[in-house]
Amino acid sequence: MTSANTGQHHGGPGPGSGHWLYRRRTVKGIFWGLILVCAALGLADLFYHRHTVFDFEGFPVAYGIFGFVCFTGIVLSGWWLRRLVERDEDYYDR
Amino acid sequence: MIDSLSPGLILILGALLVPFLPGKSRYVYMLALPALAAVQLFSLEPGVAGQTEIFGYTLSLVRVDKLSVVFGTIFLIAAFYNVIYGMHERATTQEVAALVYSGAATSAVFVGDLISLFVFWELTAISSVFLIWARGTERAYRAGMRYLIIQVGSGVILLAGVILHAEQTGSIAFDQLGLSGLATWLIFIAFGIKAAFPFLHNWLQDAYPEATVTGTVVLSAFTTKLAVYTLARGFPGTEILVYIGAVMTAFPVFFAVIENDLRRVLAFSLNNQVGFMVAGIGVGTPLAMNGAVAHAFVHIIYKSLLFMSMGAVLHRVGTIKASELGGLVRSMPLTTVFCMVGAASISAFPLFSGFIAKSLTLSATAQQGYVIWWLVLVFSSAGVLEHSGIKIPYFAFFAHDRGYRVKEAPPNMLIAMGIAAFLCIALGIYPEPLYAMLPYEVEYEPYTTSHVLSQLQLLLFAMLAFAILIRTGLYPAERPSTNLNTDWIYRKALPALVGWAMRVGGAVRTGVLARGERRLARLHMQVYRHYGPRGIMARTWPTGSTVLWIALTLGVMLFLYYV
């Protein structure tokens, strides 16, 4: 990769320095905002009738619980899968 | 325009002139080719044209119906923005290869017979490998060779199936085939290799991330979606596809979690997305078929967009490893926004294109009572959010700021990403034009309260899980690694087996030869003893003793004569 491609330059602000996205308040705000939205979506289930094909879809917060559990399961399985299949980066080049 | 001219041929034949065009005129010409092909496509009347008789079989180059038109349209749209995306590279081989490849895939969806399909099938394989080799590294060369062998191999299996099918039925027409014997199974497996069915899939994750920045974007659009088209044409409603598709959606999500190369993460994601389409084709109802086709259409756009954004990162930063990236939102804000549009689309957020397509397949799968497989598809939707919706933008543009201060992506890349992002949002908000192009007349309303709130609940609770896993340190950290997959069989196990066989064979050969050599040596020694310089047969007899022997022999003869 040439410098013309990368266009990198030095002397700019250092990592994480002061950008609003990296401020503690922003990160905290996003986290609690997400919790509030999830709570609202969970509560919304009480105020409308969900059209379902399977009975279990009608269970309150069914999709939310399913999404949370599946996502957590997928990510945590990464620890186990790593032990099984992870090798050095140059494994095939040796 | 000419009825018998396939729109794809305009790209293939037009590509031959590209090397002779200088400067900007080359790119004007290259953009005109897909535009001209689109004009040709929409001027074609439904039906079959361009037929030729060869050895008693009818070859049909142009078969126009809703299925071929919708795939042809999206292939030409992709070919168009791919030209824009690759303009900065000024790489002639790659430009010709990309156009021929796009043209071959487009031609393949318009053919009406299996022999013509085979020809364009192989042309996609041969032309596309140059997009990998254009990277110019030893690694890319080897990956390209593996890719080529597998792709050409799928063509050979297809040809074997076609020959058997022609012999059994007397027809080479490419219509609904169904699984009814060895011939159709061979054709099905050939399609399955290109669609990257489970255990036949790893050529995709092996080769695509090794291609050039533009090459990977181009590759992502055509090969697997051509396979989806052929499955939709030849095997709609084949139940085994429901199971194959569901497994395809599920298993890549686990590998994507631990993959460090972000373009390889997208290759796993591609595999997962094609799984939804395959499952839809397996369900086979009009709603499911529409779902599969709509999904292919929108997927080509948002997957291109994601690969384009990662290509821009690779182009600017020089690496695409999650363990080395982070904080690029500060230097590449537009690329970040485009990437997030792609991420929202693939995750099927309402108002983005994935939502209006994926919900068709999910609804159809549920309606047909495939409860377990429907659950697998919903599970995989959470997986899509993990790897493509969050992991890609988060680790490249946010997460830990690594201090890269690079330029924003080149203007041509931004324009291409802008077009793709616009289409993702436009189709998400206003899906009617796409729905009108789908093969079946089906009334479907994606924006119902139930659909929207259920999907938002699924996605936002999953995002909450991500936030908690990151805050608690339970999310596996990105680190440099190679993760074993099925390619281990032909990259390590088989070479090791062949090496072992060679060693054993060599030892046996050496043993046999050594024994033979010993015997030969013994024989040689015996011969040598008698005939060698000191052997009895080689002695120089003194003249006197020779005369004595002759006299003795004559004496014996004389005695015997008188007796």
Side-chain angles (χ1 to χ4, degrees), chain A residues 16-35, chain B residues 329 394 398 467 471:
Chain A
S17 59
H19 191 273
W20 66 272
L21 267 172
Y22 285 87
R23 282 182 208 144
R24 214 179 164 76
R25 260 180 74 180
T26 314
V27 176
K28 227 172 170 176
I30 292 171
F31 182 69
W32 286 104
L34 198 54
I35 289 178
Chain B
V329 63
Y394 181 75
F398 304 100
R471 282 171 80 93

PDB file of all heavy atoms in Angstrom, chain A residues 16-35, chain B residues 329 394 398 467 471:
ATOM      1  N   GLY A  16      -8.239   8.701  20.771  1.00  0.00           N
ATOM      2  CA  GLY A  16      -9.286   8.924  21.757  1.00  0.00           C
ATOM      3  C   GLY A  16      -9.332  10.317  22.365  1.00  0.00           C
ATOM      4  O   GLY A  16     -10.079  10.545  23.320  1.00  0.00           O
ATOM      5  N   SER A  17      -8.593  11.253  21.806  1.00  0.00           N
ATOM      6  CA  SER A  17      -8.512  12.533  22.498  1.00  0.00           C
ATOM      7  C   SER A  17      -9.703  13.423  22.190  1.00  0.00           C
ATOM      8  O   SER A  17      -9.788  14.037  21.138  1.00  0.00           O
ATOM      9  CB  SER A  17      -7.211  13.253  22.121  1.00  0.00           C
ATOM     10  OG  SER A  17      -7.186  13.442  20.729  1.00  0.00           O
ATOM     11  N   GLY A  18     -10.645  13.425  23.093  1.00  0.00           N
ATOM     12  CA  GLY A  18     -11.679  14.440  23.092  1.00  0.00           C
ATOM     13  C   GLY A  18     -12.813  14.332  22.099  1.00  0.00           C
ATOM     14  O   GLY A  18     -13.726  15.138  22.148  1.00  0.00           O
ATOM     15  N   HIS A  19     -12.796  13.381  21.168  1.00  0.00           N
ATOM     16  CA  HIS A  19     -13.908  13.283  20.215  1.00  0.00           C
ATOM     17  C   HIS A  19     -15.173  12.937  20.992  1.00  0.00           C
ATOM     18  O   HIS A  19     -15.151  12.088  21.883  1.00  0.00           O
ATOM     19  CB  HIS A  19     -13.579  12.223  19.170  1.00  0.00           C
ATOM     20  CG  HIS A  19     -14.514  12.224  18.009  1.00  0.00           C
ATOM     21  ND1 HIS A  19     -15.685  11.514  17.995  1.00  0.00           N
ATOM     22  CD2 HIS A  19     -14.461  12.867  16.815  1.00  0.00           C
ATOM     23  CE1 HIS A  19     -16.307  11.698  16.844  1.00  0.00           C
ATOM     24  NE2 HIS A  19     -15.583  12.524  16.110  1.00  0.00           N
ATOM     25  N   TRP A  20     -16.266  13.592  20.608  1.00  0.00           N
ATOM     26  CA  TRP A  20     -17.492  13.422  21.409  1.00  0.00           C
ATOM     27  C   TRP A  20     -17.963  11.965  21.489  1.00  0.00           C
ATOM     28  O   TRP A  20     -18.526  11.543  22.482  1.00  0.00           O
ATOM     29  CB  TRP A  20     -18.612  14.337  20.885  1.00  0.00           C
ATOM     30  CG  TRP A  20     -19.107  13.976  19.494  1.00  0.00           C
ATOM     31  CD1 TRP A  20     -18.616  14.408  18.313  1.00  0.00           C
ATOM     32  CD2 TRP A  20     -20.181  13.093  19.175  1.00  0.00           C
ATOM     33  NE1 TRP A  20     -19.301  13.865  17.257  1.00  0.00           N
ATOM     34  CE2 TRP A  20     -20.281  13.049  17.771  1.00  0.00           C
ATOM     35  CE3 TRP A  20     -21.081  12.333  19.929  1.00  0.00           C
ATOM     36  CZ2 TRP A  20     -21.227  12.283  17.109  1.00  0.00           C
ATOM     37  CZ3 TRP A  20     -22.039  11.563  19.278  1.00  0.00           C
ATOM     38  CH2 TRP A  20     -22.097  11.534  17.872  1.00  0.00           C
ATOM     39  N   LEU A  21     -17.681  11.178  20.438  1.00  0.00           N
ATOM     40  CA  LEU A  21     -18.136   9.783  20.465  1.00  0.00           C
ATOM     41  C   LEU A  21     -17.394   8.958  21.507  1.00  0.00           C
ATOM     42  O   LEU A  21     -17.862   7.910  21.929  1.00  0.00           O
ATOM     43  CB  LEU A  21     -17.916   9.166  19.083  1.00  0.00           C
ATOM     44  CG  LEU A  21     -19.099   9.235  18.129  1.00  0.00           C
ATOM     45  CD1 LEU A  21     -18.677   8.760  16.749  1.00  0.00           C
ATOM     46  CD2 LEU A  21     -20.259   8.388  18.637  1.00  0.00           C
ATOM     47  N   TYR A  22     -16.203   9.411  21.852  1.00  0.00           N
ATOM     48  CA  TYR A  22     -15.382   8.635  22.775  1.00  0.00           C
ATOM     49  C   TYR A  22     -15.496   9.124  24.220  1.00  0.00           C
ATOM     50  O   TYR A  22     -14.861   8.586  25.111  1.00  0.00           O
ATOM     51  CB  TYR A  22     -13.910   8.662  22.314  1.00  0.00           C
ATOM     52  CG  TYR A  22     -13.700   7.759  21.118  1.00  0.00           C
ATOM     53  CD1 TYR A  22     -13.912   8.231  19.826  1.00  0.00           C
ATOM     54  CD2 TYR A  22     -13.334   6.426  21.278  1.00  0.00           C
ATOM     55  CE1 TYR A  22     -13.756   7.415  18.729  1.00  0.00           C
ATOM     56  CE2 TYR A  22     -13.174   5.597  20.192  1.00  0.00           C
ATOM     57  CZ  TYR A  22     -13.377   6.092  18.909  1.00  0.00           C
ATOM     58  OH  TYR A  22     -13.216   5.260  17.824  1.00  0.00           O
ATOM     59  N   ARG A  23     -16.302  10.161  24.433  1.00  0.00           N
ATOM     60  CA  ARG A  23     -16.437  10.665  25.808  1.00  0.00           C
ATOM     61  C   ARG A  23     -17.258   9.678  26.630  1.00  0.00           C
ATOM     62  O   ARG A  23     -18.186   9.044  26.136  1.00  0.00           O
ATOM     63  CB  ARG A  23     -17.123  12.040  25.796  1.00  0.00           C
ATOM     64  CG  ARG A  23     -16.148  13.135  25.402  1.00  0.00           C
ATOM     65  CD  ARG A  23     -16.814  14.499  25.428  1.00  0.00           C
ATOM     66  NE  ARG A  23     -16.147  15.361  24.470  1.00  0.00           N
ATOM     67  CZ  ARG A  23     -16.749  16.275  23.726  1.00  0.00           C
ATOM     68  NH1 ARG A  23     -18.049  16.453  23.814  1.00  0.00           N
ATOM     69  NH2 ARG A  23     -16.057  17.011  22.885  1.00  0.00           N
ATOM     70  N   ARG A  24     -16.907   9.588  27.876  1.00  0.00           N
ATOM     71  CA  ARG A  24     -17.564   8.666  28.807  1.00  0.00           C
ATOM     72  C   ARG A  24     -19.077   8.901  28.846  1.00  0.00           C
ATOM     73  O   ARG A  24     -19.865   7.944  28.866  1.00  0.00           O
ATOM     74  CB  ARG A  24     -16.957   8.901  30.190  1.00  0.00           C
ATOM     75  CG  ARG A  24     -16.843   7.674  31.030  1.00  0.00           C
ATOM     76  CD  ARG A  24     -16.215   8.012  32.373  1.00  0.00           C
ATOM     77  NE  ARG A  24     -16.425   6.945  33.318  1.00  0.00           N
ATOM     78  CZ  ARG A  24     -15.747   5.807  33.311  1.00  0.00           C
ATOM     79  NH1 ARG A  24     -14.827   5.604  32.407  1.00  0.00           N
ATOM     80  NH2 ARG A  24     -16.000   4.860  34.194  1.00  0.00           N
ATOM     81  N   ARG A  25     -19.443  10.197  28.817  1.00  0.00           N
ATOM     82  CA  ARG A  25     -20.860  10.559  28.907  1.00  0.00           C
ATOM     83  C   ARG A  25     -21.634  10.029  27.707  1.00  0.00           C
ATOM     84  O   ARG A  25     -22.756   9.536  27.822  1.00  0.00           O
ATOM     85  CB  ARG A  25     -20.997  12.087  28.951  1.00  0.00           C
ATOM     86  CG  ARG A  25     -21.209  12.603  30.356  1.00  0.00           C
ATOM     87  CD  ARG A  25     -21.335  14.106  30.341  1.00  0.00           C
ATOM     88  NE  ARG A  25     -22.624  14.556  29.807  1.00  0.00           N
ATOM     89  CZ  ARG A  25     -22.954  15.834  29.692  1.00  0.00           C
ATOM     90  NH1 ARG A  25     -22.096  16.773  30.042  1.00  0.00           N
ATOM     91  NH2 ARG A  25     -24.125  16.184  29.221  1.00  0.00           N
ATOM     92  N   THR A  26     -21.020  10.144  26.526  1.00  0.00           N
ATOM     93  CA  THR A  26     -21.696   9.678  25.306  1.00  0.00           C
ATOM     94  C   THR A  26     -21.926   8.168  25.374  1.00  0.00           C
ATOM     95  O   THR A  26     -23.031   7.676  25.098  1.00  0.00           O
ATOM     96  CB  THR A  26     -20.834   9.998  24.057  1.00  0.00           C
ATOM     97  OG1 THR A  26     -20.367  11.323  24.148  1.00  0.00           O
ATOM     98  CG2 THR A  26     -21.594   9.779  22.790  1.00  0.00           C
ATOM     99  N   VAL A  27     -20.855   7.452  25.744  1.00  0.00           N
ATOM    100  CA  VAL A  27     -20.949   5.987  25.786  1.00  0.00           C
ATOM    101  C   VAL A  27     -22.015   5.559  26.788  1.00  0.00           C
ATOM    102  O   VAL A  27     -22.854   4.687  26.514  1.00  0.00           O
ATOM    103  CB  VAL A  27     -19.567   5.377  26.151  1.00  0.00           C
ATOM    104  CG1 VAL A  27     -19.666   3.869  26.306  1.00  0.00           C
ATOM    105  CG2 VAL A  27     -18.527   5.739  25.091  1.00  0.00           C
ATOM    106  N   LYS A  28     -22.010   6.204  27.941  1.00  0.00           N
ATOM    107  CA  LYS A  28     -23.002   5.905  28.980  1.00  0.00           C
ATOM    108  C   LYS A  28     -24.409   6.228  28.480  1.00  0.00           C
ATOM    109  O   LYS A  28     -25.357   5.456  28.684  1.00  0.00           O
ATOM    110  CB  LYS A  28     -22.694   6.747  30.222  1.00  0.00           C
ATOM    111  CG  LYS A  28     -22.713   5.944  31.502  1.00  0.00           C
ATOM    112  CD  LYS A  28     -22.217   6.798  32.630  1.00  0.00           C
ATOM    113  CE  LYS A  28     -22.471   6.078  33.940  1.00  0.00           C
ATOM    114  NZ  LYS A  28     -21.931   6.825  35.068  1.00  0.00           N
ATOM    115  N   GLY A  29     -24.523   7.387  27.795  1.00  0.00           N
ATOM    116  CA  GLY A  29     -25.812   7.826  27.271  1.00  0.00           C
ATOM    117  C   GLY A  29     -26.370   6.824  26.267  1.00  0.00           C
ATOM    118  O   GLY A  29     -27.557   6.500  26.301  1.00  0.00           O
ATOM    119  N   ILE A  30     -25.490   6.321  25.376  1.00  0.00           N
ATOM    120  CA  ILE A  30     -25.933   5.339  24.370  1.00  0.00           C
ATOM    121  C   ILE A  30     -26.421   4.075  25.075  1.00  0.00           C
ATOM    122  O   ILE A  30     -27.471   3.514  24.745  1.00  0.00           O
ATOM    123  CB  ILE A  30     -24.783   5.012  23.381  1.00  0.00           C
ATOM    124  CG1 ILE A  30     -24.461   6.243  22.522  1.00  0.00           C
ATOM    125  CG2 ILE A  30     -25.148   3.826  22.495  1.00  0.00           C
ATOM    126  CD1 ILE A  30     -23.212   6.108  21.663  1.00  0.00           C
ATOM    127  N   PHE A  31     -25.685   3.640  26.086  1.00  0.00           N
ATOM    128  CA  PHE A  31     -26.035   2.404  26.801  1.00  0.00           C
ATOM    129  C   PHE A  31     -27.399   2.535  27.471  1.00  0.00           C
ATOM    130  O   PHE A  31     -28.282   1.693  27.288  1.00  0.00           O
ATOM    131  CB  PHE A  31     -24.942   2.081  27.828  1.00  0.00           C
ATOM    132  CG  PHE A  31     -25.193   0.802  28.572  1.00  0.00           C
ATOM    133  CD1 PHE A  31     -25.118  -0.416  27.923  1.00  0.00           C
ATOM    134  CD2 PHE A  31     -25.514   0.819  29.926  1.00  0.00           C
ATOM    135  CE1 PHE A  31     -25.357  -1.607  28.605  1.00  0.00           C
ATOM    136  CE2 PHE A  31     -25.758  -0.363  30.611  1.00  0.00           C
ATOM    137  CZ  PHE A  31     -25.668  -1.575  29.950  1.00  0.00           C
ATOM    138  N   TRP A  32     -27.586   3.609  28.232  1.00  0.00           N
ATOM    139  CA  TRP A  32     -28.862   3.772  28.938  1.00  0.00           C
ATOM    140  C   TRP A  32     -29.995   4.090  27.961  1.00  0.00           C
ATOM    141  O   TRP A  32     -31.141   3.679  28.185  1.00  0.00           O
ATOM    142  CB  TRP A  32     -28.727   4.838  30.029  1.00  0.00           C
ATOM    143  CG  TRP A  32     -27.938   4.274  31.189  1.00  0.00           C
ATOM    144  CD1 TRP A  32     -26.652   4.531  31.509  1.00  0.00           C
ATOM    145  CD2 TRP A  32     -28.404   3.298  32.137  1.00  0.00           C
ATOM    146  NE1 TRP A  32     -26.258   3.778  32.595  1.00  0.00           N
ATOM    147  CE2 TRP A  32     -27.328   3.011  33.009  1.00  0.00           C
ATOM    148  CE3 TRP A  32     -29.616   2.631  32.336  1.00  0.00           C
ATOM    149  CZ2 TRP A  32     -27.420   2.093  34.059  1.00  0.00           C
ATOM    150  CZ3 TRP A  32     -29.714   1.721  33.387  1.00  0.00           C
ATOM    151  CH2 TRP A  32     -28.623   1.460  34.238  1.00  0.00           C
ATOM    152  N   GLY A  33     -29.684   4.766  26.897  1.00  0.00           N
ATOM    153  CA  GLY A  33     -30.683   5.024  25.860  1.00  0.00           C
ATOM    154  C   GLY A  33     -31.189   3.715  25.269  1.00  0.00           C
ATOM    155  O   GLY A  33     -32.392   3.523  25.052  1.00  0.00           O
ATOM    156  N   LEU A  34     -30.263   2.800  25.043  1.00  0.00           N
ATOM    157  CA  LEU A  34     -30.609   1.485  24.496  1.00  0.00           C
ATOM    158  C   LEU A  34     -31.515   0.717  25.467  1.00  0.00           C
ATOM    159  O   LEU A  34     -32.509   0.097  25.049  1.00  0.00           O
ATOM    160  CB  LEU A  34     -29.300   0.712  24.242  1.00  0.00           C
ATOM    161  CG  LEU A  34     -29.341  -0.485  23.316  1.00  0.00           C
ATOM    162  CD1 LEU A  34     -29.948  -0.137  21.967  1.00  0.00           C
ATOM    163  CD2 LEU A  34     -27.918  -1.013  23.098  1.00  0.00           C
ATOM    164  N   ILE A  35     -31.193   0.795  26.749  1.00  0.00           N
ATOM    165  CA  ILE A  35     -32.019   0.117  27.755  1.00  0.00           C
ATOM    166  C   ILE A  35     -33.435   0.706  27.745  1.00  0.00           C
ATOM    167  O   ILE A  35     -34.432  -0.039  27.780  1.00  0.00           O
ATOM    168  CB  ILE A  35     -31.380   0.245  29.159  1.00  0.00           C
ATOM    169  CG1 ILE A  35     -30.123  -0.625  29.215  1.00  0.00           C
ATOM    170  CG2 ILE A  35     -32.370  -0.159  30.257  1.00  0.00           C
ATOM    171  CD1 ILE A  35     -29.369  -0.569  30.515  1.00  0.00           C
TER     172      ILE A  35
ATOM    173  N   VAL B 329     -13.910   6.520  12.281  1.00  0.00           N
ATOM    174  CA  VAL B 329     -15.014   7.469  12.089  1.00  0.00           C
ATOM    175  C   VAL B 329     -14.479   8.900  12.026  1.00  0.00           C
ATOM    176  O   VAL B 329     -15.051   9.765  11.360  1.00  0.00           O
ATOM    177  CB  VAL B 329     -16.073   7.317  13.214  1.00  0.00           C
ATOM    178  CG1 VAL B 329     -15.505   7.654  14.590  1.00  0.00           C
ATOM    179  CG2 VAL B 329     -17.283   8.200  12.946  1.00  0.00           C
ATOM    180  N   TYR B 394     -18.387  -1.464  14.020  1.00  0.00           N
ATOM    181  CA  TYR B 394     -17.855  -1.152  15.351  1.00  0.00           C
ATOM    182  C   TYR B 394     -16.330  -1.262  15.390  1.00  0.00           C
ATOM    183  O   TYR B 394     -15.646  -0.338  15.839  1.00  0.00           O
ATOM    184  CB  TYR B 394     -18.493  -2.078  16.401  1.00  0.00           C
ATOM    185  CG  TYR B 394     -18.004  -1.803  17.804  1.00  0.00           C
ATOM    186  CD1 TYR B 394     -18.451  -0.693  18.513  1.00  0.00           C
ATOM    187  CD2 TYR B 394     -17.079  -2.651  18.422  1.00  0.00           C
ATOM    188  CE1 TYR B 394     -17.992  -0.422  19.796  1.00  0.00           C
ATOM    189  CE2 TYR B 394     -16.615  -2.393  19.699  1.00  0.00           C
ATOM    190  CZ  TYR B 394     -17.076  -1.278  20.388  1.00  0.00           C
ATOM    191  OH  TYR B 394     -16.607  -1.011  21.650  1.00  0.00           O
ATOM    192  N   PHE B 398     -15.234   2.485  15.065  1.00  0.00           N
ATOM    193  CA  PHE B 398     -15.401   2.952  16.450  1.00  0.00           C
ATOM    194  C   PHE B 398     -14.399   2.201  17.328  1.00  0.00           C
ATOM    195  O   PHE B 398     -13.218   2.214  17.039  1.00  0.00           O
ATOM    196  CB  PHE B 398     -16.865   2.758  16.894  1.00  0.00           C
ATOM    197  CG  PHE B 398     -17.843   3.446  15.971  1.00  0.00           C
ATOM    198  CD1 PHE B 398     -18.544   2.736  14.990  1.00  0.00           C
ATOM    199  CD2 PHE B 398     -18.046   4.811  16.052  1.00  0.00           C
ATOM    200  CE1 PHE B 398     -19.422   3.365  14.121  1.00  0.00           C
ATOM    201  CE2 PHE B 398     -18.929   5.460  15.193  1.00  0.00           C
ATOM    202  CZ  PHE B 398     -19.611   4.737  14.231  1.00  0.00           C
ATOM    203  N   ALA B 467     -23.878  -4.577  23.924  1.00  0.00           N
ATOM    204  CA  ALA B 467     -23.371  -3.521  24.814  1.00  0.00           C
ATOM    205  C   ALA B 467     -22.956  -4.118  26.158  1.00  0.00           C
ATOM    206  O   ALA B 467     -21.896  -3.773  26.703  1.00  0.00           O
ATOM    207  CB  ALA B 467     -24.441  -2.448  24.998  1.00  0.00           C
ATOM    208  N   ARG B 471     -19.164  -4.254  27.688  1.00  0.00           N
ATOM    209  CA  ARG B 471     -18.878  -3.592  28.975  1.00  0.00           C
ATOM    210  C   ARG B 471     -18.336  -4.562  30.008  1.00  0.00           C
ATOM    211  O   ARG B 471     -17.536  -4.189  30.868  1.00  0.00           O
ATOM    212  CB  ARG B 471     -20.158  -2.933  29.511  1.00  0.00           C
ATOM    213  CG  ARG B 471     -20.493  -1.615  28.829  1.00  0.00           C
ATOM    214  CD  ARG B 471     -21.861  -1.139  29.230  1.00  0.00           C
ATOM    215  NE  ARG B 471     -21.856  -0.491  30.531  1.00  0.00           N
ATOM    216  CZ  ARG B 471     -21.718   0.825  30.726  1.00  0.00           C
ATOM    217  NH1 ARG B 471     -21.578   1.615  29.687  1.00  0.00           N
ATOM    218  NH2 ARG B 471     -21.743   1.345  31.931  1.00  0.00           N
TER     219      ARG B 471
END
